[in-house]
């Protein structure tokens, strides 16, 4: 099985490399509210394609979070509602379904070939070509293998972008998607000049005063229910206003809910700018599959990290979500160990 998988992987990578050789204009995008893997992967792929002489346009619905702006060319990522241009090829990165790109482009009419690169277990195979590898820690890891197979030596900014993708999607090498393979790749990246200490400072030791004040307010909302098995946190629009902290600075806040001893599922509710609507982030320990819960509400993710958007006032949304999580926790035996992060 393993050998067959490897063969298939080589084939799909070869096919993608052939498509790259035979085409000229490339569009790259990823999911709304991009994270370290989506930004790192888009920048690394963009750089690689440009070095092959291709015309590249990268665009997302939401802006690059501040902590990733140290990455070269991050300011070249366009933030737009709709891309009104035609391309030979579109790369869709880190999206388990097409809704995640937020309708940024009319793929049917504007793109000849769609390539889906993802690492979600439940990824819909929406591309003309699908390089989908659930055992990969991140899209950055999949790209590393593509670059290797191309024979083109990586340059410094690509190495850094891939490292950031793997670092953040494995939750600093703590989640269950932290495999021997991903450590091998990271060893290669460090040999090529990455300083884990410097990158960690940029990504994790760069919180702003307002963001920390927002965290402080958020922690005050902590509630633990279901006999100590579920913990949840809340961020309201008023809390953003009061502290000056921004939504894109809340990455990692949900982990504090899961950090509580004995808690099996941590939840963060974030009120959106649109009234009566909440972003819900889930993190779990062990066998609790929060992606199943997120899917019930039109979202998705991985077993131990998932998210969705739910309409309703705060009371209604909390009740719906907590009921669903309580059912899942009650139906699942607890074990140690977590699955992939992002
Ligand atoms: P976060 O809580 O960090 O926003 O999301 C955790 C993970 O859940 C993401 O990396 C992604 O895999 C998944 N996810 C979050 N929100 C959504 C959503 O609205 N739809 C889908 N399909 N997946 C989501
Ligand atoms: Mn990812």
């Amino acid at each position: 099985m393993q050998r067959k998988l490897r063969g298939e992987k080589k084939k799909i990578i070869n096919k993608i490399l052939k498509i790259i050789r035979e085409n000229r204009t490339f569009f790259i995008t990823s999911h709304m509210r991009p994270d370290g893997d989506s930004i790192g992967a888009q920048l690394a792929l963009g750089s690689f394609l440009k070095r092959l002489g291709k015309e590249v346009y990268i665009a997302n619905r939401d802006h690059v979070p501040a902590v990733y702006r140290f990455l070269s060319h991050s300011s070249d990522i366009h933030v737009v509602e709709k891309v009104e241009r035609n391309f030979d090829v579109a790369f869709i990165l880190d999206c388990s379904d097409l809704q995640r790109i937020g309708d940024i482009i009319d793929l049917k009419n504007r793109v000849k070939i769609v390539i889906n690169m993802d690492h979600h277990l439940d990824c819909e195979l929406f591309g003309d070509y699908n390089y989908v590898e659930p055992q990969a820690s991140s899209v950055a890891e999949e790209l590393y293998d593509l670059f290797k197979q191309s024979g083109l030596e990586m340059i410094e900014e690509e190495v850094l972008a891939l490292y950031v993708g793997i670092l953040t999607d494995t939750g600093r090498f703590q989640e269950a998607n932290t495999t021997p393979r991903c450590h091998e790749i990271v060893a290669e990246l460090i040999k090529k000049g990455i300083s884990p200490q410097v990158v960690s400072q940029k990504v994790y030791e760069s919180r702003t005063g307002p963001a920390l004040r927002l965290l402080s307010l958020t922690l005050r909302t902590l509630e633990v229910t279901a006999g100590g098995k579920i913990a949840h946190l809340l961020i309201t629009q008023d809390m953003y206003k009061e502290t000056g902290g921004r939504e894109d600075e809340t990455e990692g806040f949900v982990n504090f809910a899961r950090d509580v001893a004995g808690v099996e599922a941590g939840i963060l509710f974030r009120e959106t700018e649109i009234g009566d609507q909440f972003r819900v982030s889930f993190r779990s320990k062990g066998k609790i599959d929060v992606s199943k819960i997120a899917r019930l509400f039109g979202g998705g993710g991985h077993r131990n990290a998932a998210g969705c958007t739910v309409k309703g006032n705060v009371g209604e949304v909390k009740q719906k979500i907590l009921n669903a999580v309580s059912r899942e926790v009650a139906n699942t035996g607890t074990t140690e160990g977590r699955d992939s992060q992002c």
Side-chain angles (χ1 to χ4, degrees):
M1 187 59 187
Q2 193 57 31
R3 189 165 301 141
K4 184 162 171 258
L5 268 180
R6 269 208 287 273
E8 279 171 9
K9 175 168 166 162
K10 250 197 163 141
K11 246 175 29 202
I12 182 72
I13 291 179
N14 265 336
K15 185 71 207 175
I16 293 172
L17 291 172
K18 183 165 183 279
I19 290 169
I20 292 173
R21 278 195 305 275
E22 291 173 350
N23 288 279
R24 198 179 61 80
T25 59
F26 290 79
F27 173 60
I28 303 174
T29 193
S30 184
H31 52 81
M32 295 179 281
R33 292 173 300 278
D35 57 20
D37 187 30
S38 50
I39 298 294
Q42 289 179 101
L43 290 172
L45 178 60
S47 167
F48 175 81
L49 292 173
K50 276 189 214 150
R51 288 199 296 130
L52 293 171
K54 308 298 171 179
E55 202 181 295
V56 180
Y57 184 83
I58 313 180
N60 291 320
R61 279 292 301 270
D62 295 312
H63 65 78
V64 177
V67 291
Y68 304 122
R69 290 193 199 140
F70 73 99
L71 292 171
S72 298
H73 300 292
S74 56
S75 57
D76 296 347
I77 298 183
H78 297 84
V79 179
V80 292
E81 289 271 308
K82 197 86 182 176
V83 176
E84 305 288 3
R85 280 172 59 176
N86 296 339
F87 299 92
D88 296 329
V89 181
F91 275 96
I92 315 291
L93 308 182
D94 205 27
C95 292
S96 53
D97 60 64
L98 263 185
Q99 280 76 48
R100 297 277 282 148
I101 65 174
D103 201 24
I104 195 168
I105 191 166
D106 177 356
L107 285 173
K108 274 206 177 72
N109 293 309
R110 296 214 171 264
V111 174
K112 283 196 311 198
I113 302 169
V114 175
I115 299 176
N116 167 15
M117 267 188 76
D118 186 44
H119 68 124
H120 290 87
L121 189 62
D122 60 348
C123 184
E124 291 172 8
L125 303 180
F126 55 78
D128 297 308
Y129 297 92
N130 299 283
Y131 176 15
V132 175
E133 207 185 4
Q135 68 274 26
S137 66
S138 51
V139 176
E141 183 177 320
E142 296 184 273
L143 269 179
Y144 174 91
D145 290 329
L146 184 135
F147 292 173
K148 269 274 180 208
Q149 205 166 305
S150 78
L152 188 66
E153 194 63 37
M154 274 174 250
I155 61 170
E156 210 179 303
E157 64 187 66
E158 293 161 5
V159 171
L160 180 59
L162 293 185
Y163 181 82
V164 166
I166 299 173
L167 172 73
T168 55
D169 248 28
T170 56
R172 314 188 201 189
F173 311 114
Q174 288 176 359
E175 301 294 338
N177 59 346
T178 309
T179 58
R181 173 81 185 125
C182 105
H183 271 294
E184 281 159 14
I185 293 173
V186 163
E188 285 303 310
L189 300 178
I190 293 173
K191 277 187 213 154
K192 288 177 188 294
I194 292 295
S195 161
Q197 187 185 31
V198 169
V199 178
S200 179
Q201 281 163 10
K202 301 266 190 209
V203 176
Y204 296 111
E205 293 149 40
S206 299
R207 291 207 199 267
T208 63
L212 280 175
R213 280 189 283 280
L214 179 62
L215 175 61
S216 154
L217 286 195
T218 307
L219 291 176
R220 278 192 235 164
T221 70
L222 180 74
E223 284 182 51
V224 180
T225 63
K229 293 190 169 177
I230 301 174
H232 53 96
L233 295 164
L234 170 69
I235 304 177
T236 62
Q237 285 293 315
D238 282 346
M239 288 161 65
Y240 291 121
K241 283 187 201 114
E242 188 180 333
T243 58
R246 297 187 315 266
E247 195 203 3
D248 74 346
E249 296 180 301
T250 61
E251 208 176 306
F253 283 21
V254 61
N255 293 335
F256 286 98
R258 184 177 61 181
D259 280 352
V260 180
V263 158
E264 291 172 17
I267 309 163
L268 171 67
F269 297 95
R270 280 176 294 182
E271 187 180 15
T272 65
E273 280 172 339
I274 308 165
D276 280 348
Q277 182 180 285
F278 288 79
R279 284 280 315 147
V280 187
S281 290
F282 304 92
R283 297 291 185 273
S284 65
K285 291 173 183 159
K287 279 188 176 168
I288 309 288
D289 185 352
V290 283
S291 73
K292 253 176 22 194
I293 304 164
R295 271 199 298 278
L296 289 177
F297 297 91
H302 304 281
R303 188 176 75 189
N304 296 121
C308 58
T309 303
V310 183
K311 284 197 189 330
N313 66 39
V314 65
E316 290 161 358
V317 172
K318 270 189 179 173
Q319 196 181 2
K320 273 194 236 174
I321 295 289
L322 288 173
N323 284 344
V325 178
S326 300
R327 270 197 301 276
E328 183 62 22
V329 168
N331 291 337
T332 314
T334 312
T335 52
E336 293 301 313
R338 300 176 197 148
D339 203 359
S340 56
Q341 167 80 0
C342 291

